[in-house]
């Protein structure tokens, strides 16, 4: 018995301790193997890119509706800026949430920083590189259009992108994420795209901008609803944490359905806008999931469907504006 006890002690002493941090909310880091190209693509969060594409499509359609000329080079440049900024936000969000421990208990796919497989500095550098690329393309747009005041707009966009989860007091941790998402993914992205093409902001651009912003807010709500328990645990006070599950479900419903009311208004000016109702084929299943889900992981599907609805809606408005 004594020999057996000593043997067991030796085995236990040879075991490597589990890696943990000082934050009790964090899980032990689990070895997940080397990082692959798929992991990097996953960190870019491609399912969120429709939210960057949709406002550019709507803004370009609104610009095209005012005349026969199509400024396709500027439109593509606006698209590049939007996508590069979105990917940059996703990587810097991975970095910021990872070093804070916010992603340690997340429901969705493991993040690069939180998993411990990639150095936080590497993730940060990649995020900042995408911001830099977006800034270069934005500068080209400014030089082409001679709208120098838009340099300030671009700088504000990058600052807002960083402080969503970065810095000492990120606004995403204090219930302001939806406000900034509406402003930048809706108003700024859509109206900025229209302005640099025609130097005017027709009413269809404003209505489309509001719709794009509401879809983006809905996606953020679905994301935060999925992580509501984990965010409470780590002190991340998103709007969802502040108002609770039921109010979030109601607000999500309003954000998803309001753009279709806007489409009805636009149909008075552009009859083909009725085709935007086809986006309900993706929006309604998302609503059903948000109201009936039993496991937080199910909301990942709702998030993807809402993003798809935003893109379908934007395509329909583009067709209505130029058709």
């Amino acid at each position: 018995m004594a020999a057996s006890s000593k043997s067991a002690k030796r085995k236990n002493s040879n075991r490597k301790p589990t890696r943990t941090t000082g934050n009790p909310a964090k899980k032990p880091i689990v070895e997940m193997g080397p990082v692959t190209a798929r992991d990097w693509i996953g960190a870019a969060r491609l399912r969120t890119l429709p939210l960057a594409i949709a406002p550019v499509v709507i803004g370009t359609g609104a610009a095209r509706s005012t005349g026969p000329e199509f400024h396709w080079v500027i439109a593509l440049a606006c698209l590049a800026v939007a996508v590069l900024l979105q990917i940059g936000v996703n990587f810097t969000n991975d970095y910021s949430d990872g070093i804070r421990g916010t992603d340690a208990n997340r429901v969705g796919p493991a993040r690069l920083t939180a998993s411990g497989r990639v150095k936080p500095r590497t993730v940060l550098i990649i995020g900042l590189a995408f911001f830099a690329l977006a800034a270069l393309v934005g500068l080209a747009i400014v030089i082409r259009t001679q709208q120098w005041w838009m340099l300030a707009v671009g700088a504000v966009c990058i600052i807002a992108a960083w402080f969503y989860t970065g810095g000492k007091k990120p606004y995403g941790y204090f219930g302001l994420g939806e406000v900034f998402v509406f402003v930048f993914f809706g108003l700024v992205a859509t109206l900025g795209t229209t302005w640099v093409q025609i130097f005017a902001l027709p009413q269809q651009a404003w209505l489309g901008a509001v719709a794009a912003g509401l879809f983006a807010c809905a996606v953020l709500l679905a994301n935060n609803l999925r992580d509501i328990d984990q965010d409470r645990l780590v002190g991340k006070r998103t709007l969802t944490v502040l108002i609770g599950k039921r109010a979030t479900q109601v607000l999500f419903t309003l954000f998803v359905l309001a753009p279709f009311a806007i489409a009805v208004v636009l149909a008075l000016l552009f009859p083909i806008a009725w085709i935007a109702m086809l986006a309900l084929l993706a929006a309604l299943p998302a609503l059903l999931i948000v109201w009936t889900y039993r496991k937080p992981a199910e909301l990942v599907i709702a998030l993807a469907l809402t993003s798809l609805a935003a893109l379908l809606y934007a395509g329909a408005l583009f067709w209505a504006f130029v058709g």
Side-chain angles (χ1 to χ4, degrees), residues 16-303:
K16 293 183 180 180
T18 303
R19 294 174 60 196
T20 59
T21 67
N23 187 342
K26 293 183 72 175
K27 291 180 180 178
I29 295 176
V30 179
E31 294 298 331
M32 301 175 65
V35 178
T36 64
R38 184 176 180 178
D39 293 318
W40 287 106
I41 293 172
R45 306 182 203 181
L46 300 186
R47 68 169 60 93
T48 66
L49 295 188
L51 301 178
I53 298 170
V56 176
V57 172
I58 294 173
T60 298
R64 180 67 175 76
S65 69
T66 64
E69 189 176 0
F70 178 40
H71 304 277
W72 63 271
V73 174
I74 295 178
L76 288 176
C78 289
L79 180 62
V81 170
V83 170
L84 290 169
L85 277 177
Q86 179 63 60
I87 296 175
V89 168
N90 292 338
F91 275 107
T92 55
N93 178 255
D94 186 304
Y95 164 80
S96 298
D97 280 346
I99 62 173
R100 281 190 171 86
T102 308
D103 279 344
N105 291 293
R106 68 185 311 276
V107 176
R111 298 299 183 211
L112 295 177
T113 305
S115 69
R117 293 180 296 163
V118 179
K119 293 181 180 179
R121 179 180 174 83
T122 301
V123 178
L124 174 60
I125 290 173
I126 291 175
L128 295 179
F130 275 101
F131 284 162
L133 289 173
L136 287 175
V137 179
L139 178 60
I141 294 173
V142 169
I143 294 173
R144 173 67 177 80
T145 62
Q146 295 294 295
Q147 300 293 294
W148 298 102
W149 59 273
M150 292 199 74
L151 288 174
V153 176
V156 171
C157 287
I158 293 176
I159 292 171
W162 167 253
F163 283 103
Y164 171 55
T165 56
K168 293 183 178 179
K169 293 185 178 181
Y171 60 83
Y173 280 61
F174 295 94
L176 295 174
E178 284 75 11
V179 174
F180 281 81
V181 161
F182 178 79
V183 170
F184 289 98
F185 280 84
L187 302 183
V188 173
T190 307
L191 299 177
T193 297
T194 302
W195 179 265
V196 295
Q197 295 185 57
I198 60 173
F199 307 136
L201 297 174
Q203 60 183 345
Q204 56 267 33
W206 285 97
L207 291 170
V210 171
L214 290 173
F215 272 122
C217 288
V219 169
L220 182 57
L221 282 177
N223 181 79
N224 290 340
L225 185 59
R226 180 197 65 191
D227 295 333
I228 184 171
D229 294 330
Q230 292 73 27
D231 287 342
R232 280 185 181 137
L233 191 63
V234 298
K236 184 177 181 180
R237 301 172 70 228
T238 63
L239 179 62
T240 295
V241 168
L242 294 175
I243 66 178
K245 174 182 174 180
R246 185 65 66 208
T248 297
Q249 291 170 319
V250 172
L251 195 58
F252 177 86
T253 302
L254 292 174
F255 285 169
V256 168
L257 295 182
F260 296 98
I262 292 174
V264 172
V265 175
L266 285 169
L268 299 175
L269 301 172
F270 305 93
I272 304 177
W274 283 105
I275 201 172
M277 296 301 168
L278 289 175
L280 284 168
L281 294 174
L284 291 179
L287 283 171
L288 182 62
I289 293 171
V290 165
W291 280 98
T292 63
Y293 78 96
R294 294 188 178 184
K295 296 181 180 179
E298 296 172 34
L299 291 169
V300 175
I301 300 174
L303 188 156

